Every structure is written in structure tokens, then in C-alpha cells.
Amino acid sequence: MHETMVAQSLLATITTEAKKQKARPILAKISCGMLNDVNEEILSFAMEAITKGTRCEGVKIEVEHKPIRGKCNKCKKEFAFEVASPVCPECGSNDFNLLPDEPLVLEEIEFERE
Amino acid sequence: MYKVNIGRKILSANEEYANENKRFLIENKKLCLNMISSPGSGKTTILTRTIKELKDKIQIGVIEGDIQTDLDAQRIKATKAPAIQINTKGACHLSAAQIHKALANLPIEKLDLIFIENVGNLVCPSAFELGENGKVVVLSVPEGDDKPVKYPAIFAKSKALLINKIDLLNPSRDIDFDIEKVKNDARKLNKDIQIFSLSAKSGEGMDKWYDWLIKGIEKTRNS
């Protein structure tokens, strides 16, 4: 539901960059941790709605969700945590810590020259 | 077509306000807890009971977040505690800028503890840092015992979990709620989470929650 706020924040950054580049933004790539609850479809819909009539109209959104990382306290290995099977895949231990979730980041924008 | 690397946090505007709120709380040595849950889990009832039962020991202020109405702020004010209502007018979470403004309007010097009662929603509020010292997630018995697995973010990020309405776990009511499953699932996501099983209606289990709050206040005061 908060994708609209994310979209507004995103649009501000893309607009600033588009003005700087004097180019038309085509695609914005975003990454975030799994615990960020940002849905690509809803975010794309929100972007479509708020970019209408702006220089960013038509920009596509791609969201890459990074897995939640865990660190095993037994074998010390880092691993991708699965909510469905919460054990270390290396040694099967359930003694581990979850690492902080990756923040929501605008990684790159693809532009087309005007 | 060409690519430009950006590498910038999207919610940085919220984060700047959150950092400012954090600084303000550290300077004033105040404990601030962000309460998050589904609608109807009993957040306001927990708060009103906590305020009344601790009134001789500590002073509590509340920032209330709701989409519409000031019903919750009225319930808090009826206990004589200061309360500020924020209406998000449709937004599904509180943002750090709103908290920044509310903190400035609370009589901060008189308070020991500030609760933020977030908009009833188990998803979005977990993504917005407000500058608080910690999040407290409330899960009530009627919601079911599968919530930590279905909504992992808030359980992974909270300092404490309150399992509320345990008065309903009376065998005569025949409610399917495996409290041990909830505790185990929450601890798998968050080894350090403090878990309190309580009923804000009957008062059962509230004492351990109060002890934890008072320890937290003392720790903040001496930091």
C-alpha cells in the first residue's frame, strides 16, 4: 500500500537525474531486501499514474528482491534465509542470526537521448 | 540508450527525519517505542491500562496514528496522559516527518516514555523508521498463530512481541491458537525478541511487560 509514497520519492530522484542528463528515462532498477514488502506490480502501477504528462511518463520499473541473509552461529557461514525452512542449509543448525535487511535503493536508470 | 548508476536510498527523506528524531530522543534521554499490529489487536487498551497502572511510577505520552478520527487519542486523554493524534488521511503508516512535528508538541521534559501507536497494519509501518528506540509488535489470539511466518518483517524487526488477549485461551472457548508455535516462529526470525503473553483486559501477564518498560527507561536515562 505504501508503494505510492515510494513512487513519489522515486519520481523526484528520476526527474532530477533526467533534467541533468537532458534525456528521457526508460527504466529504473530498484533493489531491496525481502523484508521491504515492495511489490513490483503495484509500484509500476503507481508510477504509471503519477508520471502521466511528466517527462518521466512511460518509465518502467524493475524490482530486485534480495534474500534475507542469515549467519550461522555454529558453522559461521552466511546463507539465504528461507521463512519456510528456517535452518542453516550448510549444517542444519537453528542457532543463527538474521543480518539487517537490505534497504530500498534506486540502483540505476536507463536513459534514451531526446 | 545508456545507463546511469544512482545507488541512492529511495526513502532517504524519511530517514533524515528519523535520524533527527533519534538525536532528539537521545539528547532528552527519553525512551520511545513504536507499537505496530493489525487493527483490533488491542494496542490502545494495552496503552490505557499501562498508563493507569504505572501512573505513580512513570509519565507516559502517546502519539496516535490513525487514518481517520481522534477516537484513540480521546481514550488516551481520558487517562490524563498527553496524547497527540495524527490523521494520515488514507496513508497506511506513520512517517518520520509526522513524528518530528508531534514530538515537538509533547511536554517532553515531563515524560519518561513515549509510545507511538502506529496505524493498524502489520505490513507497511515496518518499512518506515521513525527514529524510535524500538518496535513492539502486538499479536492477539483471534488473529491466529500463523502471523509470524506470514508477516515476517515486523517480527524480525521488533524488540518485543506482546501476545494479547490470552484470556481467550481458556479451554472452554475452543480457540485454535498454539502459543508455543508463535513464540518459536518469532524467535526463528529474531533470536533476541522479548515475548510477553498478556491480557490487557484481565491484566494477566502485564507485570512482566511493565518491568521490561521500566528497565528500558532506566537504561535510556543512564545512557
Side-chain angles (χ1 to χ4, degrees), chain A residues 1-2 5-6 9-10 13 16-17 21-23 26 29-31 35-37 68 73 81 83-84 86 94-98 101 103-113, chain B residues 1-15 67 90-93 95 121-128 148-150 152-154 156-157 188-192:
Chain A
M1 237 152 94
H2 62 266
M5 184 172 170
V6 173
S9 202
L10 195 56
T13 310
T16 310
E17 196 58 33
Q21 299 287 332
K22 296 190 174 66
I26 303 296
K29 287 189 178 170
I30 290 157
S31 73
L35 297 183
N36 251 300
D37 294 322
I68 311 167
N73 289 325
F81 171 83
V83 178
N94 58 10
D95 180 17
F96 59 82
N97 286 79
L98 290 188
D101 199 33
L104 187 61
V105 172
L106 171 57
E107 298 284 358
E108 62 172 42
I109 310 173
E110 279 185 27
F111 286 101
E112 196 175 65
R113 302 214 182 272
Chain B
M1 203 144 65
Y2 65 104
K3 290 175 185 175
V4 176
N5 277 322
I6 308 288
R8 191 181 310 155
K9 285 190 191 173
I10 294 171
L11 297 175
S12 54
N14 185 68
E15 208 170 291
I67 290 179
C92 49
H93 61 274
S95 64
N121 177 338
L122 214 46
V123 185
C124 313
S126 73
F128 292 83
V149 188
K150 286 171 92 173
I154 186 56
K157 292 176 183 175
K188 276 174 200 159
L189 292 162
N190 182 344
K191 236 173 49 153
D192 302 321

Side-chain angles (χ1 to χ4, degrees), chain B residues 126-196:
Chain B
S126 73
F128 292 83
E129 291 299 323
L130 302 178
E132 74 273 20
N133 303 86
K135 294 178 179 58
V136 174
V137 56
V138 182
L139 171 65
S140 65
V141 167
E143 293 166 55
D145 54 22
D146 54 0
K147 294 301 168 289
V149 188
K150 286 171 92 173
Y151 301 84
I154 186 56
F155 293 90
K157 292 176 183 175
S158 291
K159 276 201 173 152
L161 160 62
L162 308 187
I163 304 175
N164 190 26
K165 309 190 189 178
I166 57 163
D167 51 299
L168 296 176
L169 289 175
N170 186 312
S172 70
R173 290 186 185 262
D174 195 23
I175 288 180
D176 293 324
F177 184 89
D178 184 346
I179 196 163
E180 290 309 315
K181 175 182 157 52
V182 171
K183 291 180 185 174
N184 286 335
D185 288 346
R187 288 201 177 107
K188 276 174 200 159
L189 292 162
N190 182 344
K191 236 173 49 153
D192 302 321
I193 195 163
Q194 297 286 320
I195 302 179
F196 302 99

Side-chain angles (χ1 to χ4, degrees), chain A residues 27-47:
Chain A
L27 174 70
K29 287 189 178 170
I30 290 157
S31 73
C32 66
M34 288 297 284
L35 297 183
N36 251 300
D37 294 322
V38 169
N39 179 294
E40 183 178 282
E41 208 179 324
I42 299 172
L43 184 59
S44 298
F45 181 75
M47 279 303 281

Side-chain angles (χ1 to χ4, degrees), chain B residues 22-207:
Chain B
K22 190 164 272 178
R23 267 198 301 277
F24 175 81
L25 291 165
I26 290 172
E27 271 168 28
N28 287 283
K29 296 191 181 229
K30 302 297 175 186
L31 180 65
C32 176
L33 297 172
N34 180 6
M35 288 190 90
I36 297 176
S37 79
S38 311
S41 69
K43 290 187 295 303
T44 315
T45 307
I46 293 171
L47 290 181
T48 50
R49 186 160 193 136
T50 304
I51 292 165
K52 281 184 208 157
E53 295 194 329
L54 291 181
K55 73 171 188 313
D56 295 330
K57 289 183 183 161
I58 55 168
Q59 294 303 308
I60 297 175
V62 181
I63 299 170
E64 278 291 341
D66 281 294
I67 290 179
Q68 297 286 354
T69 80
D70 65 345
L71 292 173
D72 283 357
Q74 285 177 29
R75 285 174 64 190
I76 300 294
K77 280 178 185 161
T79 69
K80 308 262 187 317
I84 294 194
Q85 180 77 51
I86 299 170
N87 279 143
T88 63
K89 299 192 174 74
C92 49
H93 61 274
L94 287 170
S95 64
Q98 292 168 316
I99 299 304
H100 186 71
K101 215 166 133 189
L103 281 173
N105 288 315
L106 275 175
I108 194 86
E109 65 289 346
K110 290 185 193 149
L111 301 174
D112 303 295
L113 168 61
I114 298 122
F115 277 114
I116 299 167
E117 185 180 336
N118 220 309
V119 177
N121 177 338
L122 214 46
V123 185
C124 313
S126 73
F128 292 83
E129 291 299 323
L130 302 178
E132 74 273 20
N133 303 86
K135 294 178 179 58
V136 174
V137 56
V138 182
L139 171 65
S140 65
V141 167
E143 293 166 55
D145 54 22
D146 54 0
K147 294 301 168 289
V149 188
K150 286 171 92 173
Y151 301 84
I154 186 56
F155 293 90
K157 292 176 183 175
S158 291
K159 276 201 173 152
L161 160 62
L162 308 187
I163 304 175
N164 190 26
K165 309 190 189 178
I166 57 163
D167 51 299
L168 296 176
L169 289 175
N170 186 312
S172 70
R173 290 186 185 262
D174 195 23
I175 288 180
D176 293 324
F177 184 89
D178 184 346
I179 196 163
E180 290 309 315
K181 175 182 157 52
V182 171
K183 291 180 185 174
N184 286 335
D185 288 346
R187 288 201 177 107
K188 276 174 200 159
L189 292 162
N190 182 344
K191 236 173 49 153
D192 302 321
I193 195 163
Q194 297 286 320
I195 302 179
F196 302 99
S197 305
L198 49 84
S199 165
K201 193 175 176 186
S202 72
E204 186 185 348
M206 294 294 284
D207 46 347

